[in-house]
Amino acid sequence: MVKAVHDKSKKGSRRKKNARQSKWRERAKSLGRNLLFAVTCAAVYLSADALMGRTILRGVNGDILNFVMILVMVLPILMLPVRSWIMGVRDRSSLLLNAFIGWIAGVGLFYLSITVWLGANYLIPRSEPYERKAVVYGMKAEQRYRQAAHNYVNLRFTDNGEWYRYDADYDEYKSLQPGDTCIVTLRDGIWGCPAIRHLQPPEKKTSMVF
């Protein structure tokens, strides 16, 4: 009799131990998924941010970008509450929550589409590298945190007066001063958008390596 009680107690403690282990495994899996999602979102955002700071969008390309931005950010905001309404959810708080989730999803889709579209434009060339002269009309460094630091250089191209705010590398930024006339190396991508590959003052010009 004593042995039977002892066996039951042992089995009960084993079940509790297994339950605790299972609970911690589920928590670890959930944490891993959340971390992976956060890292993926950060990678997409930083890539899109860098590409937008190095690609000159003009004319029809700029209009396409605006259309894509409106489409991917507005549709989820509208469709998720509509879907909830069709499925029988009528309370206002749930509809507003789904609209907020739709906004988050739209922002994510926008940055993902930018990363794919401008990434292909940056990596797949449509022309040989070429150079244009530009005057530096302003500079601003934003060191919010290391991974998302920005070194903005306001450029005015001397051939047509076009303005562009370039997100420069640290070395490029340090080599320039307002009023400098610099050489901008560009290459047209697959979608026809000029992508800035390098920027430096004329006196520091070296042979291009691609």
Side-chain angles (χ1 to χ4, degrees):
M1 186 71 177
V2 175
K3 185 178 180 182
V5 173
H6 180 71
D7 289 341
K8 286 182 180 179
S9 175
K10 205 171 180 182
K11 288 179 181 178
S13 63
R14 191 180 299 117
R15 286 196 202 99
K16 288 181 181 179
K17 183 178 180 181
N18 291 338
R20 284 197 297 268
Q21 289 178 345
S22 178
K23 187 177 180 180
W24 280 108
R25 279 196 295 267
E26 289 301 319
R27 286 183 178 178
K29 287 180 182 178
S30 177
L31 179 61
R33 286 193 296 267
N34 291 336
L35 287 175
L36 180 61
F37 179 73
V39 169
T40 302
C41 289
V44 170
Y45 168 75
L46 293 173
S47 300
D49 196 36
L51 289 165
M52 284 190 287
R54 292 170 173 267
T55 307
I56 302 176
L57 300 169
R58 298 177 299 189
V60 66
N61 293 317
D63 294 336
I64 290 173
L65 176 62
N66 292 333
F67 174 75
V68 170
M69 178 180 69
I70 294 170
L71 184 67
V72 300
M73 293 187 72
V74 171
L75 277 182
I77 297 175
L78 298 177
M79 294 307 297
L80 283 178
V82 169
R83 179 177 178 273
S84 299
W85 183 273
I86 292 172
M87 294 182 69
V89 178
R90 296 291 189 272
D91 60 290
R92 183 175 177 178
S93 60
S94 295
L95 295 176
L96 289 175
L97 176 62
N98 283 325
F100 176 73
I101 294 172
W103 177 74
I104 295 294
V107 171
L109 287 172
F110 169 68
Y111 279 105
L112 180 61
S113 64
I114 287 298
T115 301
V116 173
W117 185 45
L118 293 186
N121 183 82
Y122 192 84
L123 295 174
I124 305 175
R126 194 167 115 178
S127 73
E128 293 297 320
Y130 58 93
E131 296 179 343
R132 295 173 66 186
K133 284 187 178 181
V135 177
V136 177
Y137 269 83
M139 303 173 68
K140 183 180 180 181
E142 294 183 359
Q143 304 288 341
R144 287 173 291 184
Y145 47 94
R146 184 178 179 84
Q147 288 76 10
H150 295 285
N151 299 301
Y152 292 115
V153 178
N154 295 326
L155 302 172
R156 184 174 66 81
F157 290 98
T158 59
D159 53 357
N160 60 3
E162 179 184 28
W163 288 80
Y164 183 69
R165 192 187 191 200
Y166 173 57
D167 193 356
D169 290 335
Y170 179 80
D171 291 338
E172 293 173 334
Y173 185 84
K174 286 299 181 182
S175 67
L176 296 168
Q177 295 292 333
D180 284 351
T181 298
C182 58
I183 296 294
V184 184
T185 303
L186 304 99
R187 188 170 68 180
D188 294 341
I190 190 172
W191 312 124
C193 303
I196 296 179
R197 313 294 295 196
H198 191 55
L199 182 151
Q200 59 188 5
E203 64 271 13
K204 297 182 181 179
K205 182 178 175 182
T206 57
S207 58
M208 295 178 295
V209 179
F210 295 92

